[in-house]
Amino acid sequence: MMENHEHFMKLAINLAKRGIGSVEPNPPVGAVITKGNQIIGEGYHKKFGEAHAEVNALDDCKSLGISPKGGTLYVTLEPCCHQGKTGPCSHAVINAGISKVYIATIDPAKHNNGGGIEQLKNAGIEVHTGILEKEAKLISAPFMKRAITGKPWVVLKWAQTIDGNVSFTSKDKKLKWISNERSRRDVHKLRRRSQAILVGINTVIADNPMLTARPSKGTKLLRIVMDSYLKIPPDCKLLKTAGDDPVMIYTSQYTIDKNPEILQTIKQTQAELFAYPDTHGLSNIHYLIDELGKRGVQQLMIEGGPTVLTSFLAENFADEIYVYISPQILGEHGGVKLAGPMSNLPQSLGLQNVTIKTFGDNVRITGLTSKALRELGITK
């Protein structure tokens, strides 16, 4: 029987993955309903604000003309027991007459955290947990991380050539991108999963980026610039579009106090100036991470240059890393290299749960840090 339980939960996990990029900041969830080891309904959370996986699976039963009463529900995350944008899924499961529920992992959010399971048990439903728990935690890692720690899931992303260059110095205008178009489309998918994206001031000055997700999923992406000395150009694209999508300039209180005229200039653009005070020995990144967690940012994407990337690695804030490798050796056309700043890291770093995917001639390597797995409760 355990084999069947894992089989149906695996199907639910694969369903949940379909919602990634559309449901955030909600977690991706999948559900399968069976009777006599036969699937009678499937569903997943498709879009933020819309019906959850359990409700969609129950509706699927209705569309097939099969009653879910007496059936078994497999769901990747504990059914919610609170009223949000949708009603409590625990009530829907109880009202449908489901007799058994297998849950991959408990929802650690304060408004749930075992409450949904308790409601199901009180209604006489047999509940089991822990089927493919690790896999379920991994697909909803950003949600789990913030629910457990109150801080955002931090993703570091960069593109590089074989010889470690992340930019060009060539005067040839045709040399613009390190990664190819397919890789860049994949990056926009990653941006759509995020609630905030961060770069350093050098990236803004060199590239004048928009830092938007294209196409947008309809939610606002907070665009953050680390700019301790307020060097941001007044005519850059970020400031010009601050009224459309929010922009935060992360700087020091000392700089603001010494440059009141810059303060007024930036305020006129509708960008937010957020200053770090005396952090009492902690890094200013620490202060930013805490603030973003309080603001509800679930996933923070770092797309800065080597110095910014290295600072997040050195302070042990990275949870997940995406590296896009282009089969180029730039020679004299090479610009900034990763090896400079990263060679000063105080510790080595090995990634786990590594996956490799190709996008044409580009290779994407992704992996999780040991710290991330510990915080998720997957490893000690």
Side-chain angles (χ1 to χ4, degrees):
M1 290 297 293
M2 177 60 72
E3 219 172 274
N4 280 337
H5 295 328
E6 291 190 354
H7 169 71
F8 292 130
M9 190 62 78
K10 182 64 176 177
L11 292 177
I13 287 172
N14 287 336
L15 284 167
K17 291 177 180 177
R18 297 185 189 179
I20 294 175
S22 299
V23 302
E24 291 81 4
N26 283 353
V29 181
V32 171
I33 300 174
T34 66
K35 263 189 180 180
N37 279 332
Q38 297 296 314
I39 296 174
I40 62 171
E42 297 180 338
Y44 67 97
H45 186 23
K46 297 180 179 180
K47 187 176 181 181
F48 178 72
E50 295 185 358
H52 290 183
E54 300 93 325
V55 173
N56 285 331
L58 291 169
D59 286 345
D60 192 35
C61 293
K62 294 177 184 177
S63 69
L64 296 173
I66 303 174
S67 171
K69 187 174 182 179
T72 298
L73 168 67
Y74 295 85
V75 63
T76 58
L77 186 69
E78 174 187 4
C80 63
C81 60
H82 67 289
Q83 178 68 47
K85 290 184 178 294
T86 60
C89 290
S90 56
H91 293 183
V93 173
I94 292 168
N95 293 336
I98 294 291
S99 62
K100 295 181 182 179
V101 177
Y102 287 85
I103 299 168
T105 185
I106 294 173
D107 180 350
K110 291 181 180 179
H111 54 251
N112 222 25
N113 200 19
I117 292 174
E118 184 179 2
Q119 287 187 3
L120 296 177
K121 287 182 175 180
N122 289 341
I125 296 175
E126 182 181 325
V127 180
H128 301 269
T129 61
I131 306 296
L132 299 184
E133 181 177 17
K134 173 184 175 181
E135 291 83 348
K137 283 184 174 180
L138 288 175
I139 62 170
S140 57
F143 170 82
M144 302 291 289
K145 160 84 182 282
R146 184 172 179 274
I148 294 169
T149 69
K151 298 177 182 179
W153 180 261
V154 179
V155 178
L156 271 58
K157 167 265 167 185
W158 69 84
Q160 67 173 76
T161 60
I162 292 174
D163 54 347
N165 283 288
V166 296
S167 69
F168 300 100
T169 57
S170 172
K171 295 179 181 179
D172 187 343
K173 299 300 182 181
K174 293 180 181 179
L175 298 177
K176 182 179 181 181
W177 302 104
I178 293 291
S179 57
N180 64 21
E181 185 177 351
R182 288 179 60 186
S183 290
R184 296 195 297 277
R185 284 201 300 267
D186 189 63
V187 170
H188 282 282
K189 289 182 181 179
L190 186 57
R191 288 182 179 183
R192 286 194 290 275
R193 291 175 51 187
S194 306
Q195 291 75 52
I197 182 171
L198 181 148
V199 297
I201 184 58
N202 290 336
T203 296
V204 175
I205 292 172
D207 300 337
N208 195 18
M210 285 285 289
L211 301 180
T212 53
R214 300 184 293 276
S216 169
K217 68 174 184 179
T219 56
K220 299 293 186 181
L221 182 64
L222 175 61
R223 300 171 292 168
I224 305 170
V225 181
M226 296 188 73
D227 186 9
S228 294
Y229 302 103
L230 290 178
K231 296 180 179 179
I232 190 165
D235 61 345
C236 70
K237 293 178 181 177
L238 286 173
L239 292 183
K240 284 184 174 181
T241 60
D244 301 320
D245 288 290
V247 173
M248 174 195 286
I249 311 300
Y250 188 55
T251 188
S252 71
Q253 188 61 52
Y254 175 84
T255 300
I256 290 178
D257 292 341
K258 293 294 182 180
N259 299 278
E261 70 285 351
I262 297 178
L263 175 64
Q264 293 304 316
T265 299
I266 293 177
K267 279 187 174 180
Q268 290 173 5
T269 69
Q270 299 185 51
E272 174 191 3
L273 270 171
F274 184 69
Y276 54 86
D278 183 349
T279 54
H280 305 289
L282 295 173
S283 70
N284 59 46
I285 296 176
H286 187 283
Y287 186 75
L288 176 63
I289 292 293
D290 286 348
E291 175 64 20
L292 293 178
K294 294 174 185 176
R295 295 188 183 201
V297 172
Q298 184 170 282
Q299 179 163 300
L300 169 65
M301 185 174 174
I302 312 299
E303 285 201 50
T307 300
V308 170
L309 292 167
T310 301
S311 65
F312 277 85
L313 289 170
E315 298 286 347
N316 200 27
F317 284 115
D319 293 304
E320 188 172 15
I321 294 176
Y322 278 65
V323 183
Y324 297 82
I325 302 175
S326 173
Q328 302 180 70
I329 297 174
L330 296 184
E332 65 179 12
H333 297 295
V336 179
K337 289 181 178 290
L338 286 166
M342 287 194 181
S343 64
N344 296 318
L345 283 172
Q347 71 283 330
S348 60
L349 177 67
L351 298 181
Q352 301 184 48
N353 290 78
V354 173
T355 61
I356 299 174
K357 187 174 182 178
T358 58
F359 296 91
D361 62 358
N362 281 198
V363 177
R364 187 194 74 188
I365 300 175
T366 65
L368 306 180
T369 63
S370 298
K371 187 251 329 179
L373 295 176
R374 287 195 301 270
E375 290 178 338
L376 292 174
I378 292 174
T379 61
K380 295 183 179 180

